[in-house]
Amino acid sequence: MMGTVAYFCSEFGINESLPFYAGGLGLLAGDHLKAANDLGLPLVGVSLLYRKGYFQQRITLDGIQEALYPKINPEDLPLAPVLNEPGEPVLVEVVLKNRVVKLMAWCAMVGTVPVYFLDADIKENQAEDRCLTAKLYPGEQTSRLEQEILLGVGGVRLLRKLGFQPAVWHLNEGHVAFQVLERIREYLLQGIPFLAALEAVRASTVFTTHTPVPAGHDTYYFELLDKYLGDFYRQLGVGREEILALGKVGNQFNLTRLALRTSSGINGVSKIHADVTKQLFQNWSPDILWQDISVDAITNGIHTTTWLAPEMKELFDKYLDKNWELKIANSALWEPVREINDQVLWNTHMRIKIRMLEHLKLPVHLSGFLVVGFARRFAAYKRATLLIHDLERLDRIVNHPERPVCIIFAGKAHPADGLGQELLRRIVEVARMDRFRERIFFIENYDIENAKQLVQGVDVWLNTPVKPMEASGTSGQKAAVNGVINCSILDGWWDEGYNGANGWAIPSVADADQAERDRVERESLYNLLENEIAPQYYRRNQESLPREWILMMKESICSLTPVFCTDRMVMEYQNKLYCPAADRGLKFTANNFEVARRVADYKQFIRNNWHYVQVETVELTDSLIQSQIRLGPIWHGDVMVEFIYTDALGEIWREKLELKGLLSPGVHIYMGRFRFGSGSSLKSEANIRVVPVSPDFANDFELELTTWGRR
Ligand SMILES: *Cc1c(COP(=O)(O)O)cnc(C)c1O
């Protein structure tokens, strides 16, 4: 049995009544909590309470998005104020720019899993501080920074006040990374030196990154941080430079960098995204091959029963094992779905579709048409307008005399995202054109409630991201469990989920400029819709059933549901990140932080002496490699020497070299053999790499130091 995991996230999308989320990150976090509850994993969530939420979307007749902020009263929500023994709110204090801000907390229970939301809107604070936590993702930089400090630092203080001693600290996205500074400070108060405290914190911290583009990561100028963290620098007992170095990228402080430097386990949210993340992180340690950067892939999943239509659940109750909800990740469990009577499955789908149309106030007679859903945040990379670019072509497709197609759009653009709002305006404009009446719709205010309707009730779920920008995506997974078929670019989760028979892949092009990619991918999408998807939907047998379509629905449910579920995902977090970090945390702090101190000293020694390390000679004869390497005062047992070759496909080949003797004090001879196939092309690329290693490291490149020697 493992200790508690403290799961920090700037947003949680738990249900319709708690509007503290903006999109996929929050929904994923909410589903993570639900799965932790189902699996009996001890976890506690920490976030902020935004009294104005994200925003509610209204669209004017001209397609202009209006952001409304109805004031939320937490008393009216399923939240309980966190009170102390005399019944007073428990308060924590955080210093912001030389003034003290107080935070109270509200608790929501996700089954047995508590989530705490910190709230600055209390009478103890000055008027201007009461709105610090009003909005999720404020546009102004300083407001974001203030929220991030309140959440990171205040969150740790709250957990301590409530008596939590988490074994693992999970940073879900970089926004919450200031948490680690507070934990280092706690150790300093116990008399642990800064570098040892840093090692102890790193040992028990894990980090999930979600953003494949550098611009998506929060960064702050040092001067701004000085204003906010000045007091903290003093308390951390080291100079400003040492603290800023933890997040330094150029002349800015980057929260993703901070999270990376202070975590022992890191993951991206799909296989493609993990690779993209490695390449992104390599910019910060260019001496390391991107393939060697330690980022695991844990592909997102959804909390299946949250997103499953009640009508489908009834069907599954009938056809699947008793207690199937406890075994969702078991593939074999889903096989009986193939035996569901076609008529029954189709009727169920149609009932859900009609219910969705009614709920969204759309004409119910459209249930006879092929209905495509596209709903997501209006971030530019998701290319909401790809489909409406060529209106003539679109007209032909949606107004086909025998095979009409409806498209339902929904989604919010961030209030500070002008481009996103322009894309949205364009869609509304097209939807209002006469020729697209009853064919193209835009649904206001995409939220959990609308999302449920759409992912349950449309026929096809469309996604058109610019590959590889969709870190994972989860809405398509919600669609899949409901027998809604995905049609998407092979990016994020769909690259892993698509099997050729469970949906459609829109071919994408790499190595072309954006306009050309848009053009080619748009054509592919039009062709798919016109020549494959619509004909298959309207091809009926004697009983008026779309046999092939139903077969694909079944294949989609069976192949995707057991894989892209939070049961599988949270078990992976448990095995790949939580258990190792819990063990490491214990190991590093045991015996008055013996291991943490040792690792800190070791790293210090290696850093101070690494400049001595040099590859002096490299010789290749036949299949033998010999290299003369100067290590200076560094012990040969503390380095790994390898012969490295990267082939054209980016695959790395490595051969470990063995120590053969000492040439002179501090200069060693290393030898090895290569066993590769195509020797000749190899030799010209031959490189020797020296890396400092330690059995106490979480990975071989933890020090981000390497020395290369070319022949
Ligand atoms: C699932 C969900 C998302 C995330 O979907 P993506 O596929 O990642 O874009 C966003 N908003 C809501 C309301 C959702 O339910």
Side-chain angles (χ1 to χ4, degrees), residues 171-190:
L171 311 175
N172 195 36
E173 193 53 310
H175 311 124
V176 298
F178 284 119
Q179 181 218 80
V180 298
L181 298 185
E182 171 63 4
R183 288 166 51 221
I184 292 174
R185 197 187 66 91
E186 288 183 335
Y187 284 144
L188 290 167
L189 290 178
Q190 297 173 32

Side-chain angles (χ1 to χ4, degrees), residues 371-640:
V371 176
V372 177
F374 182 100
R376 50 200 75 253
R377 283 182 306 114
F378 271 63
Y381 77 86
K382 294 190 184 244
R383 293 192 293 191
T385 52
L386 193 72
L387 195 57
I388 60 164
H389 197 88
D390 180 345
L391 293 184
E392 298 311 316
R393 186 83 196 266
L394 184 65
D395 193 341
R396 277 217 313 274
I397 294 173
V398 300
N399 289 310
H400 191 283
E402 285 97 47
R403 302 195 292 265
V405 180
C406 286
I407 305 166
I408 307 178
F409 288 96
K412 295 175 178 177
H414 188 282
D417 177 6
L419 178 58
Q421 291 176 56
E422 173 53 26
L423 299 177
L424 194 155
R425 192 200 59 73
R426 177 67 183 151
I427 286 181
V428 173
E429 183 179 39
V430 170
R432 298 224 163 110
M433 291 176 180
D434 263 352
R435 57 174 162 171
F436 296 120
R437 260 177 69 93
E438 297 215 335
R439 292 295 180 275
I440 297 181
F441 301 92
F442 184 89
I443 302 295
E444 269 178 348
N445 205 43
Y446 185 49
D447 60 5
I448 292 183
E449 195 184 342
N450 288 336
K452 278 188 182 167
Q453 294 292 336
L454 288 165
V455 299
Q456 294 169 4
V458 300
D459 299 299
V460 171
W461 195 254
L462 180 66
N463 196 12
T464 52
V466 176
K467 189 173 182 172
M469 309 268 268
E470 183 81 311
S472 167
T474 51
S475 57
Q477 302 172 354
K478 302 168 191 169
V481 302
N482 287 293
V484 173
I485 302 176
N486 278 274
C487 171
S488 170
I489 300 274
L490 286 176
D491 195 13
W493 80 280
W494 189 232
D495 184 63
E496 296 162 44
Y498 175 67
N499 69 5
N502 58 2
W504 292 278
I506 306 167
S508 54
V509 271
D511 307 325
D513 66 35
Q514 195 52 50
E516 177 63 7
R517 285 176 70 167
D518 287 354
R519 193 190 62 74
V520 174
E521 294 173 16
R522 183 173 68 234
E523 286 304 309
S524 304
L525 173 56
Y526 286 140
N527 291 341
L528 262 177
L529 270 173
E530 194 164 35
N531 305 329
E532 292 190 41
I533 301 177
Q536 181 170 330
Y537 181 84
Y538 287 101
R539 197 174 301 134
R540 305 296 163 112
N541 65 7
Q542 310 91 302
E543 296 121 83
S544 313
L545 288 175
R547 274 278 311 163
E548 286 167 78
W549 192 276
I550 294 169
L551 214 62
M552 201 181 241
M553 288 170 74
K554 291 178 176 176
E555 177 61 29
S556 168
I557 295 170
C558 291
S559 62
L560 301 172
T561 309
V563 183
F564 301 98
C565 59
T566 39
D567 277 4
R568 185 271 308 152
M569 178 186 87
V570 171
M571 288 307 292
E572 267 190 72
Y573 275 100
Q574 166 94 333
N575 296 331
K576 291 184 175 172
L577 296 180
Y578 296 160
C579 288
D583 291 347
R584 266 183 101 67
L586 279 180
K587 176 176 145 189
F588 272 55
T589 52
N591 226 347
N592 193 21
F593 292 70
E594 184 188 330
V595 176
R597 290 173 201 263
R598 181 172 79 218
V599 171
D601 289 347
Y602 172 70
K603 286 187 178 175
Q604 188 83 325
F605 173 80
I606 297 284
R607 278 209 189 89
N608 290 340
N609 293 289
W610 193 252
H611 63 274
Y612 288 106
V613 176
Q614 263 178 32
V615 178
E616 298 194 328
T617 64
V618 181
E619 282 166 48
L620 294 179
T621 45
D622 298 330
S623 60
L624 273 185
I625 317 146
Q626 179 165 325
S627 181
Q628 187 175 312
I629 297 172
R630 179 178 298 275
L631 295 177
I634 292 172
W635 180 47
H636 62 79
D638 286 340
V639 301
M640 172 172 71

Side-chain angles (χ1 to χ4, degrees), residues 274-432:
D275 278 351
V276 170
T277 298
K278 291 178 190 192
Q279 290 168 39
L280 200 69
F281 289 176
Q282 198 223 5
N283 294 323
W284 301 334
S285 32
D287 283 346
I288 299 173
L289 299 170
W290 72 262
Q291 296 91 335
D292 279 331
I293 291 183
S294 176
V295 177
D296 246 311
I298 302 179
T299 305
N300 284 347
I302 52 152
H303 188 256
T304 312
T305 52
T306 294
W307 300 102
L308 185 65
E311 297 88 341
M312 286 298 274
K313 181 177 181 301
E314 242 176 73
L315 205 54
F316 292 166
D317 285 343
K318 220 176 274 167
Y319 280 82
L320 302 183
D321 277 10
K322 262 210 322 281
N323 299 329
W324 61 267
E325 288 124 302
L326 306 179
K327 305 174 264 191
I328 290 167
N330 176 345
S331 294
L333 175 118
W334 291 91
E335 282 307 307
V337 164
R338 300 188 198 276
E339 311 305 321
I340 298 177
N341 176 285
D342 285 352
Q343 185 82 57
V344 170
L345 181 60
W346 190 245
N347 290 350
T348 305
H349 174 64
M350 291 307 277
R351 259 166 54 216
I352 300 170
K353 194 170 172 184
I354 289 167
R355 186 249 288 153
M356 169 202 71
L357 292 168
E358 283 170 347
H359 185 95
L360 300 178
K361 304 196 169 57
L362 301 179
V364 170
H365 69 88
L366 298 180
S367 65
F369 293 9
L370 169 62
V371 176
V372 177
F374 182 100
R376 50 200 75 253
R377 283 182 306 114
F378 271 63
Y381 77 86
K382 294 190 184 244
R383 293 192 293 191
T385 52
L386 193 72
L387 195 57
I388 60 164
H389 197 88
D390 180 345
L391 293 184
E392 298 311 316
R393 186 83 196 266
L394 184 65
D395 193 341
R396 277 217 313 274
I397 294 173
V398 300
N399 289 310
H400 191 283
E402 285 97 47
R403 302 195 292 265
V405 180
C406 286
I407 305 166
I408 307 178
F409 288 96
K412 295 175 178 177
H414 188 282
D417 177 6
L419 178 58
Q421 291 176 56
E422 173 53 26
L423 299 177
L424 194 155
R425 192 200 59 73
R426 177 67 183 151
I427 286 181
V428 173
E429 183 179 39
V430 170
R432 298 224 163 110

